[in-house]
Amino acid sequence: MVHFVGAGTGATDLITVRGQRLIENADVIIYAGSLINKDLLRAAKTGCEMHDSAAMTLSEIIDVIKAAAAKNKDIVRLHTGEPSIYGAVREQMDELDKAGIEYDSCPGVSAAFGAASSLNIEYTLPGITQTLIITRMEGRTEVPELEKIEALAAHHTSMAIYLSSGMMERVQEALIKGGLSPDTPAAIVYKATWDDEKILRCHVRELTLTGMEAGIDRLAVILVGEAIEHTSYDRSRLYSEDFSTGYRDSKKKAAGSRGSRKRAAAIWNSGIRSGKLR
């Protein structure tokens, strides 16, 4: 059995409980050595076979899995962050399907959410935006025309831009070309939640200079949008006193209900005293 496991953003205690247990029980671990926190591997049992996939091709990874699966070994394919986002897992799964090897997936905390926790921000602020776009600048991997940063920037939502810190100037140009104000709040978060994390707050017009001065050209997520500064937004209706939910009546409704009960009680008591209800 193969378990695709998300290692999370970097901090070792941000892996899921399930992911930790899978690592502890694995006979073979194939890990993304250039990206994951290797301290996670300390949880592996004695004798666990380790493979760093940083220097491996897809066929070499599949060969290791096939050899281990033939011996009924428990295999963990450890990916950085959340494997379903830029994890290149589908191509591995397709090969396992061809080979008749069973697999499952264990989610992880993606960089956008690790960065949000480090900045203590909410991406979806009422009155600002209710959408978070996760995307990337086109590089060796092409991006569909309608998904290019210029097109997505036109929506003026919160954005988390992955795999693009080495193309900061292009990102900046694309965001402005797409219609974002150069003064739109932004942040560059390098190695979110790691011990050597760096948080650089700036504006879209300053992205290139900020990244250059800090020497950041990889391992960072770029955050963009008014929600980054959260200086002006509407409060959520969820906790508003005049808003009812399936678990709580609004204060106004509750007060009305109490008033109705009091009036009903007063009428009842009046009827008792007058003898009409005896």
Side-chain angles (χ1 to χ4, degrees):
M1 183 70 167
V2 181
H3 309 284
F4 288 89
V5 177
T9 56
T12 55
D13 57 351
L14 284 179
I15 193 169
T16 63
V17 173
R18 181 185 297 178
Q20 178 79 5
R21 187 178 70 246
L22 290 169
I23 289 173
E24 291 171 352
N25 294 331
D27 300 307
V28 177
I29 297 177
I30 306 170
Y31 63 95
S34 61
L35 297 168
I36 72 156
N37 188 334
K38 293 184 180 64
D39 286 345
L40 289 168
L41 301 176
R42 294 180 180 177
K45 63 187 179 184
T46 301
C48 178
E49 183 182 323
M50 302 278 191
H51 298 268
D52 183 350
S53 65
M56 299 170 71
T57 64
L58 174 61
S59 60
E60 288 171 339
I61 291 169
I62 298 303
D63 285 345
V64 169
I65 292 175
K66 286 180 177 178
K71 297 177 182 178
N72 293 318
K73 292 186 175 181
D74 209 39
I75 307 151
V76 163
R77 179 66 175 105
L78 188 60
H79 280 264
T80 185
E82 161 49 39
S84 68
I85 301 176
Y86 306 121
V89 293
R90 185 64 259 169
E91 59 200 56
Q92 298 173 67
M93 293 174 177
D94 287 345
E95 292 301 314
L96 297 183
D97 286 337
K98 293 176 186 176
I101 298 173
E102 292 186 358
Y103 56 87
D104 60 20
S105 298
C106 175
V109 180
S110 191
F113 307 116
S117 71
S118 295
L119 273 69
N120 289 316
I121 61 172
E122 180 181 347
Y123 288 120
T124 52
L125 290 176
I128 301 296
T129 180
Q130 290 294 286
T131 302
L132 168 65
I133 293 175
I134 294 177
T135 189
R136 60 170 296 171
M137 173 60 73
E138 185 172 55
R140 286 178 295 181
T141 299
E142 293 184 1
V143 172
E145 195 66 32
L146 292 177
E147 297 177 24
K148 292 186 186 296
I149 287 181
E150 293 95 322
L152 298 178
H155 295 287
H156 293 258
T157 69
S158 296
M159 296 179 71
I161 305 172
Y162 285 54
L163 304 170
S164 305
S165 52
M167 300 176 278
M168 204 77 73
E169 185 173 0
R170 289 178 57 197
V171 171
Q172 180 178 318
E173 290 176 355
L175 290 169
I176 295 173
K177 183 179 179 181
L180 280 187
S181 165
D183 293 323
T184 301
I188 302 169
V189 184
Y190 170 79
K191 296 183 73 171
T193 76
W194 289 66
D195 290 340
D196 55 346
E197 172 190 76
K198 291 181 183 178
I199 298 174
L200 306 170
R201 292 178 179 269
C202 60
H203 295 88
V204 167
R205 58 181 163 79
E206 303 163 323
L207 278 170
T208 303
L209 182 61
T210 302
M212 187 183 302
E213 289 181 341
I216 294 175
D217 60 3
R218 61 192 298 270
L219 302 179
V221 61
I222 303 166
L223 308 180
V224 178
E226 295 295 336
I228 305 301
E229 284 191 354
H230 52 78
T231 54
S232 177
Y233 63 94
D234 299 329
R235 287 194 173 185
S236 168
R237 299 290 295 154
L238 181 60
Y239 301 111
S240 175
E241 291 188 354
D242 63 352
F243 186 74
S244 296
T245 72
Y247 301 95
R248 185 193 76 242
D249 285 339
S250 71
K251 296 292 185 182
K252 183 178 181 180
K253 182 177 179 180
S257 297
R258 287 195 296 272
S260 297
R261 288 195 295 272
K262 287 181 179 179
R263 286 193 295 274
I267 292 171
W268 177 268
N269 290 333
S270 176
I272 291 292
R273 287 195 296 272
S274 66
K276 294 180 179 180
L277 298 178
R278 289 177 182 171

